[in-house]
Amino acid sequence: MLKKRLVGVITVRDGWAVQSFGYRRYLPLGHPEKLAENLDRWGADEILVLCIDRTRRNVGPDFDLLRRLGSLGLSTPLAFGGGIRTVAEAGAIIQSGAERVCIDAALRDAGVVGGISALVGAQAIIGVLPLSFDGAGLQRLDYLSGRSTPLTAADLSLFDRRVVSEALIVDWRHEGMTAAFDFNLIRRFPAPDVPLIAFGGVSEADQLKMLFDDDRVAAVGIGNSLSYREHAVQMLKRQAGGTSIRAARFVSDSR
Amino acid sequence: MTEPAMTENSFCRRCLYSIDHPLGLVLDEEGICSGCRIHEEKDRLDWNARWTQLESVVRPYRSRDGRNYDCIVPVTGANDSYYIVHLVKERLKLNPLLVTYNKYFNTELGIRNLANLRIRFDCDILTQNVNPVSVRKITGTTLRQFGSVYWHCLAGQSVFPVQTAVRYRVPLVIWGAHQGLEQVGMFSHEHEVQMTRRYRKDHDLMGVEAGDLPSVFDTLTEEDVWQYRYPDDGSLQAVGVVGIYLGNYVRWDPKTQHELMMSTHQYRTGRFARTFDCYDHVDCFNYMNLHDQLKLYKRGYSKVTDHACREIRHGRLTRDQGLALVRYYEQRPAENLDLFCEWLGVTPSSLAFLMDLHRNPQYWRETAPGRWEFKGWSSASGAAAAPLEDVRSCEFTATGKVDTRERRSYIVIGKGYPT
């Protein structure tokens, strides 16, 4: 059985790593490459860098940041997203050293996503779905307009057809809150065969364990709270326990 | 980072910070910065409940048999050290081991304050003296490489307590306030952020750890920097080292706290040329002078802006009054540069040349050889500044002198002082 992954999520806004709360409030954290370097040393299973303002500003991916990340020589797989508009941009991200690309707004353009998939392979594409549960069903947020609409079969077509390998399910309403992830987003997700990455409001080990126990969940992303204490990744791994994830590691000689 | 031209929209509408703050700063849709928003928590949180939370946090760390210290407390002869030790020893009733790093740029006032601190609070203290040859070499390198004479102080002050926690197997390190939280609202108080190696490197050390300093193009070697290396993850984990910040549990207000310590524990203060706050950093000849001038060269603002922002947030200054103070102080010449030149072994003109290399063209324009026009934060803030005589609502009292004039050199080793 493949191990499940604890993904360290670095949210980037205007070049700075930030804490993000509900897609609307932000606090500065530091330099994204310093957070990535740290997650790498801590033994995160994947690092996901999401530049959240690139699409809105229509400025394309932040290749300067990607170059700085590439120069770190990270041993942890890197996924990179934000601002991707074209097949060429996605290809350039992979050529710059990221293992995977994260597609958000462009997910609505099946032609572009299909082209990216043909170029880099479906395994290298994560699709971002900001969702909420309104009591009746799942709602998908268009973060550019701020409007939520019911999640439809069309929204899932790229996932069902394996054009995109995994869905990053973002509980955007609870993003940044403590132990607040809405499990309905996983339980009610209508495509049972699509591997899911749960993100938003996950901060505690018992949540992590519950999510890892769900067959549909391939990975769990954690952002803000990883910056609150030393060895946050290792502590979560130890507390969540089990054999489904790689064991915690503590580097014993930093020289 | 993107570096757009500064406009009024680059600044917080409440304080004087801009989005160019080196720790990062976020303005919300109302134009209020993250630091001011987090500061609002100081008037919203139940601080009695926060204190109870602190008591529960430290409880597991009390030595059961009294044969070891309960915690490590980093101190200096200034800053918030008195108040921190007061909270730890007199209110939490913990038995701390005080630790201090000898920064070499010591003032008599700082040596006196430190001696008085350990005597009045009746605490054991451990001092780290790194050999002066290495400290000078490091200072020369960091000044050349990234315009900092203070890297060794910041690195030493932030690593020696953690090294001591590992060596003495005392896992709890208690710090005062979290700079990132206080200045730019990096975290909520309720996040109860702890010390991390990442924050230290990213912010305290300007992105440069000890291991990054030696280079084939320099004389600095591993033998010079190893004392500043952070303990590895395995060592930290084996002891269970945790660094907590009292500012998450106590309504942090340095002015009020210092004044309490002045009246109850004889903490002494002194005036500086470049800021109105005479309570912070009176232990150091350079922090408010050479270090502060370099900050202005590199960052476009200086410590007086930090002090003004803090006082604006605490309601003791208006924004206009703060800006008036900044404009009054920030271009004043740094004092005691001669002491630094003598200590490092450079001429004043060499120092000036090295400093000019680090003037940020975003904030400085050389109009003629050696003549510079300032384009920094205070020049772009725009708003009219209040007349300086209106700034009486925020008085700071000097009870001593930073520069005693009787002794025109650093106190490179100061073991005690007749209090």
Side-chain angles (χ1 to χ4, degrees):
Chain A
M1 183 185 91
L2 287 174
K3 298 285 188 188
K4 299 197 175 189
R5 309 177 326 264
L6 195 163
V7 182
V9 179
I10 302 172
T11 303
V12 179
R13 183 176 181 268
D14 200 19
W16 286 95
V18 294
Q19 293 198 68
S20 176
F21 301 89
Y23 273 36
R24 63 180 182 86
R25 196 168 73 85
Y26 308 97
L27 296 178
L29 273 178
H31 298 86
E33 56 272 30
K34 296 296 184 295
L35 272 75
E37 178 185 63
N38 195 60
L39 290 169
D40 187 51
R41 199 184 72 252
W42 278 357
D45 301 309
E46 187 172 21
I47 297 170
L48 171 54
V49 176
L50 281 176
C51 303
I52 58 173
D53 55 348
R54 306 295 293 192
T55 296
R56 192 184 297 276
R57 292 162 52 198
N58 193 28
V59 289
D62 187 346
F63 286 108
D64 284 342
L65 171 58
L66 192 53
R67 269 188 284 276
R68 294 201 301 277
L69 291 167
S71 71
L72 297 173
L74 302 175
S75 57
T76 310
L78 175 69
F80 195 84
I84 300 170
R85 300 163 296 188
T86 66
V87 175
E89 286 174 344
I93 288 172
I94 299 296
Q95 285 184 326
S96 299
E99 273 71 18
R100 305 212 286 171
V101 293
C102 211
I103 307 289
D104 47 19
L107 211 54
R108 296 188 186 277
D109 189 332
V112 168
V113 181
I116 295 171
S117 189
L119 180 67
V120 302
Q123 83 291 336
I125 306 177
I126 300 168
V128 185
L129 293 174
L131 299 181
S132 59
F133 177 65
D134 67 358
L138 297 181
Q139 301 280 319
R140 180 184 179 185
L141 174 73
D142 178 344
Y143 71 91
L144 295 175
S145 68
R147 284 198 300 271
S148 286
T149 53
L151 185 69
T152 65
D155 290 326
L156 301 172
S157 162
L158 291 168
F159 297 94
D160 287 335
R161 293 189 286 119
R162 301 294 185 266
V163 177
V164 174
S165 66
E166 290 184 335
L168 177 67
I169 305 298
V170 184
D171 184 352
W172 66 273
R173 280 190 174 150
H174 298 112
E175 186 206 24
M177 296 170 65
T178 301
F181 184 82
D182 185 349
F183 283 78
N184 281 308
L185 306 187
I186 301 296
R187 293 182 189 124
R188 294 171 183 269
F189 193 75
D193 296 330
V194 175
L196 305 179
I197 306 171
F199 174 62
V202 184
S203 60
E204 306 302 318
D206 55 347
Q207 284 179 299
L208 198 63
K209 190 170 187 329
M210 285 175 66
L211 285 164
F212 281 145
D213 285 345
D214 192 312
D215 290 340
R216 289 161 293 191
V217 174
V220 177
I222 304 181
N224 300 359
S225 61
L226 292 185
S227 289
Y228 297 168
R229 47 199 39 87
E230 193 69 273
H231 301 152
V233 165
Q234 295 97 319
M235 293 306 172
L236 280 170
K237 283 191 166 190
R238 280 196 163 176
Q239 291 161 11
T243 57
S244 61
I245 55 173
R246 279 198 311 153
R249 75 162 198 222
F250 293 89
V251 177
S252 285
D253 187 2
S254 58
R255 296 190 184 190
Chain B
M1 305 298 151
T2 55
E3 290 183 355
M6 296 186 90
T7 67
E8 278 200 63
N9 291 335
S10 307
F11 292 89
C12 175
R13 295 176 62 183
R14 188 178 294 170
C15 73
L16 299 171
Y17 279 145
S18 97
I19 54 173
D20 284 354
H21 195 294
L23 298 179
L25 190 84
V26 176
L27 299 181
D28 65 17
E29 61 276 7
E30 295 177 43
I32 306 299
C33 78
S34 42
C36 285
R37 287 299 185 207
I38 291 300
H39 185 91
E40 290 171 3
E41 294 181 354
K42 288 183 194 276
D43 297 323
R44 180 173 57 78
L45 293 174
D46 178 347
W47 290 105
N48 289 328
R50 303 295 305 153
W51 180 262
T52 302
Q53 170 69 3
L54 172 62
E55 289 176 325
S56 71
V57 167
V58 304
R59 190 169 299 125
Y61 295 98
R62 288 184 192 277
S63 174
R64 288 181 185 170
D65 58 8
R67 296 176 69 177
N68 201 353
Y69 301 101
D70 297 325
C71 60
I72 305 288
V73 176
V75 295
T76 69
N79 304 94
D80 300 309
S81 296
Y82 274 57
Y83 193 65
I84 294 166
V85 178
H86 159 67
L87 293 177
V88 169
K89 178 114 191 201
E90 297 182 334
R91 289 200 55 199
L92 287 170
K93 309 291 185 191
L94 294 170
N95 177 29
L97 172 60
L98 309 186
V99 296
T100 189
Y101 169 80
N102 178 12
K103 67 172 80 65
Y104 283 91
F105 309 146
N106 307 309
T107 62
E108 274 192 34
L109 188 55
I111 297 297
R112 180 267 167 202
N113 277 341
L114 189 58
N116 183 55
L117 172 77
R118 64 176 165 75
I119 293 165
R120 287 194 73 91
F121 288 100
D122 191 21
C123 292
D124 294 351
I125 190 166
L126 210 55
T127 302
Q128 172 79 326
N129 283 304
V130 176
N131 77 82
V133 175
S134 289
V135 174
R136 282 197 194 92
K137 285 171 70 178
I138 290 169
T139 304
T141 294
T142 56
L143 175 57
R144 281 194 309 276
Q145 284 189 5
F146 47 93
S148 176
V149 297
Y150 225 69
W151 184 93
H152 85 87
C153 307
L154 300 167
Q157 286 166 356
S158 57
V159 81
F160 180 49
V162 183
Q163 292 169 341
T164 305
V166 171
R167 286 179 193 144
Y168 280 66
R169 302 190 70 78
V170 178
L172 180 63
V173 182
I174 301 183
W175 302 88
H178 187 285
Q179 186 188 31
L181 183 155
E182 294 291 329
Q183 290 197 2
V184 300
M186 201 170 278
F187 303 97
S188 161
H189 297 84
E190 293 177 300
H191 293 152
E192 297 185 23
V193 64
Q194 298 176 355
M195 185 191 186
T196 64
R197 177 176 171 178
R198 194 279 301 174
Y199 180 92
R200 175 179 179 264
K201 176 177 181 178
D202 200 352
H203 300 299
D204 293 339
L205 305 188
M206 297 155 274
V208 182
E209 279 196 298
D212 303 324
L213 284 176
S215 150
V216 293
F217 304 108
D218 196 5
T219 59
L220 206 59
T221 65
E222 173 64 21
E223 285 68 35
D224 296 311
V225 302
W226 71 271
Q227 298 271 34
Y228 299 89
R229 284 190 179 274
Y230 207 72
D232 62 45
D233 288 342
S235 302
L236 296 173
Q237 186 268 333
V239 178
V241 175
V242 169
I244 66 168
Y245 294 92
L246 292 172
N248 289 324
Y249 308 97
V250 174
R251 188 184 186 281
W252 210 256
D253 180 352
K255 182 174 187 292
T256 304
Q257 294 161 189
H258 276 126
E259 286 166 355
L260 177 65
M261 292 299 102
M262 286 157 67
S263 66
T264 61
H265 291 78
Q266 278 70 58
Y267 175 67
R268 287 189 193 158
T269 61
R271 296 213 178 277
F272 294 100
R274 292 174 52 80
T275 185
F276 59 91
D277 182 336
C278 53
Y279 299 165
D280 272 351
H281 302 288
V282 295
D283 60 331
C284 182
F285 276 112
N286 286 332
Y287 190 88
M288 291 297 193
N289 287 296
L290 176 56
H291 175 66
D292 192 52
Q293 183 123 30
L294 282 163
K295 175 171 173 160
L296 187 71
Y297 283 11
K298 293 187 294 183
R299 302 297 187 184
Y301 76 107
S302 65
K303 199 67 192 169
V304 66
T305 298
D306 293 324
H307 290 153
C309 288
R310 186 192 66 208
E311 295 307 312
I312 291 167
R313 289 172 180 170
H314 278 286
R316 293 185 283 258
L317 289 177
T318 66
R319 191 178 189 278
D320 273 2
Q321 287 173 330
L323 185 56
L325 283 167
V326 169
R327 288 176 173 167
Y328 179 76
Y329 281 106
E330 75 178 351
Q331 298 296 336
R332 293 195 163 200
E335 296 179 331
N336 305 309
L337 299 187
D338 55 329
L339 301 186
F340 181 78
C341 289
E342 181 187 335
W343 177 80
L344 192 62
V346 296
T347 64
S349 59
S350 299
L351 178 61
F353 173 79
L354 283 168
M355 291 173 69
D356 282 344
L357 289 178
H358 297 284
R359 288 195 197 242
N360 186 336
Q362 188 182 353
Y363 307 118
W364 296 91
R365 189 169 71 93
E366 192 167 22
T367 55
R371 299 187 68 169
W372 299 86
E373 180 191 359
F374 182 59
K375 304 183 295 175
W377 292 18
S378 63
S379 66
S381 289
L388 203 58
E389 56 266 28
D390 288 347
V391 191
R392 296 282 159 77
S393 56
C394 188
E395 294 283 357
F396 283 75
T397 307
T399 57
K401 285 185 176 177
V402 172
D403 183 357
T404 58
R405 294 287 166 187
E406 287 102 41
R407 184 165 191 155
R408 290 292 299 155
S409 64
Y410 299 156
I411 316 291
V412 292
I413 295 282
K415 294 172 69 176
Y417 198 88
T419 54

